[in-house]
Structures are given as structure tokens and as C-alpha cells.
């Protein structure tokens, strides 16, 4: 009986101890006048951000819904191995991915346009980043002037388009 009670106590202790919450960031919402909608952001701050006086480079992550956890893990791994500096990650969740991440194209035929739906909003999305999001981040967080934008697939297309359209933007 005493043995069973001891085992139960030990198991209860382990299960209570193992239920700590792991948090890698917070979600916030900003309203965009340019896009005429609210945008959800995932924000990751370096471990000692609150205690530090320094400013941090910012990584702007497209498709945050799919990539935020992976990006934070990768940054923490590279930081642990002293390959990159500490940084803030701002993940941008999409509302209409095809619209926001694609430039206007007269090359799309009717079938392609129907398959993709609303496209061609990259210029507005660049304006949102430039005039609203980056301004918000720089006013709210200890952001350094160094910034990077990361995306894959349509996010990669958007990055190339942005680089060609505004080479000194990010």
C-alpha cells in the first residue's frame, strides 16, 4: 500500500511538473488603412529583450501561420551556435495570400486568373509594410534599422518583386 502511494505521488509530481506552458511569442493585431483590414502578427522577442537596452534586427516573416514556429526554432538554433545575432521576428498572417503576394500580371489567361482568384495586390502590400507595419514595429519595439524579409513560394515571388521594385526597401 505504501509503495503504491509513493509511486502515485511520484507520477503525480512528474505530470504536474511536465505541464509548463512553452511560449515562443505573442499575437497582436494592427489595423491597416492601406489594406482596409486588420492584420494578425506573431511577435517573437529575444530571451533577454525586456532587460536589454540594445536594439535588434527585425526579420519580417511572410506566411506566419505556417512558418512562425519553424522560423523561431531556426533562429534560436543559429543563435545558440553563435551564427547570427539576436533578432525580433514579426510574422505576418495572411488574409488573402494570392492577392497580397502577387504583382499585377497581364500574362495570366482567364483560366489561370480563375484558378488563382484575386491577384495583383503586391504594390499595396509593399505600401502596408513600408508605411504601416515597419513604422508600427519601430515605434513599439527596440528595432534596429537592419531588417530582412523572408518568404517562400508566393512569398519568394513577393520578395523578388519587392527587390526589383524598391531595391533599398528592406
Amino acid at each position: 500500500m505504501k509503495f503504491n502511494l509513493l509511486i502515485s505521488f511520484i507520477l503525480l509530481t512528474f505530470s504536474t511538473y511536465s505541464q509548463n506552458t512553452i511560449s515562443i511569442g505573442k499575437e497582436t493585431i494592427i489595423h491597416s488603412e492601406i489594406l482596409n483590414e486588420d492584420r494578425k502578427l506573431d511577435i517573437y522577442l529575444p530571451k533577454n529583450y525586456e532587460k536589454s537596452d540594445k536594439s535588434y534586427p527585425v526579420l519580417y516573416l511572410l506566411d506566419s501561420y505556417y512558418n512562425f514556429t519553424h522560423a523561431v526554432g531556426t533562429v534560436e538554433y543559429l543563435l545558440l551556435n553563435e551564427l547570427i545575432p539576436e533578432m525580433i521576428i514579426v510574422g505576418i498572417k495572411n488574409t488573402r495570400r494570392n492577392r497580397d503576394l502577387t504583382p499585377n500580371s497581364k500574362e495570366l489567361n482567364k483560366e489561370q486568373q480563375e484558378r488563382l482568384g484575386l491577384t495583383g495586390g503586391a504594390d499595396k502590400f509593399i505600401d502596408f509594410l513600408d508605411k504601416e507595419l515597419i513604422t508600427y514595429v519601430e515605434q513599439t519595439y527596440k528595432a534596429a534599422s537592419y531588417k530582412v524579409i523572408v518568404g517562400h513560394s508566393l512569398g519568394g515571388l513577393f520578395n523578388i518583386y519587392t527587390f526589383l521594385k524598391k531595391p533599398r526597401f528592406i
Side-chain angles (χ1 to χ4, degrees):
M1 174 76 176
K2 290 181 183 180
F3 179 74
N4 288 342
L5 186 61
L6 177 64
I7 295 297
S8 297
F9 178 72
I10 290 172
L11 291 175
L12 181 64
T13 303
F14 284 141
S15 68
T16 303
Y17 179 76
S18 66
Q19 293 181 10
N20 293 333
T21 301
I22 297 172
S23 175
I24 61 168
K26 66 177 185 172
E27 183 179 78
T28 190
I29 298 173
I30 66 168
H31 180 75
S32 169
E33 295 294 329
I34 293 169
L35 300 174
N36 193 31
E37 64 186 10
D38 289 341
R39 296 308 297 245
K40 290 182 182 178
L41 306 173
D42 294 321
I43 308 291
Y44 163 84
L45 300 174
K47 186 177 182 180
N48 294 315
Y49 176 86
E50 296 299 331
K51 298 175 187 173
S52 174
D53 292 334
K54 66 182 181 177
S55 59
Y56 299 90
V58 181
L59 185 148
Y60 291 91
L61 177 68
L62 303 173
D63 295 318
S64 182
Y65 178 77
Y66 298 109
N67 297 319
F68 187 71
T69 304
H70 179 264
V72 170
T74 301
V75 164
E76 286 186 347
Y77 174 80
L78 294 171
L79 180 62
L80 180 68
N81 288 283
E82 299 178 354
L83 298 170
I84 62 171
E86 291 180 299
M87 65 181 62
I88 297 168
I89 300 175
V90 177
I92 308 159
K93 291 188 176 177
N94 293 105
T95 55
R96 308 257 340 236
R97 188 172 190 270
N98 288 351
R99 175 199 65 194
D100 291 340
L101 301 180
T102 57
N104 198 5
S105 175
K106 298 173 187 170
E107 308 272 327
L108 295 176
N109 63 37
K110 186 176 179 177
E111 180 183 312
Q112 291 168 324
Q113 189 65 55
E114 287 175 7
R115 182 174 56 83
L116 292 172
L118 183 60
T119 59
D123 290 315
K124 269 186 144 179
F125 196 67
I126 290 170
D127 284 345
F128 159 70
L129 292 174
D130 187 26
K131 297 174 182 160
E132 293 177 330
L133 181 60
I134 292 172
T135 301
Y136 167 79
V137 169
E138 289 176 348
Q139 289 174 352
T140 308
Y141 301 100
K142 297 182 246 181
S145 61
Y146 184 80
K147 48 192 160 295
V148 176
I149 187 167
V150 176
H152 77 287
S153 188
L154 286 181
L157 170 68
F158 176 79
N159 289 349
I160 292 169
Y161 179 73
T162 302
F163 175 73
L164 294 173
K165 184 96 175 173
K166 291 188 170 187
R168 299 196 190 280
F169 174 63
I170 289 201

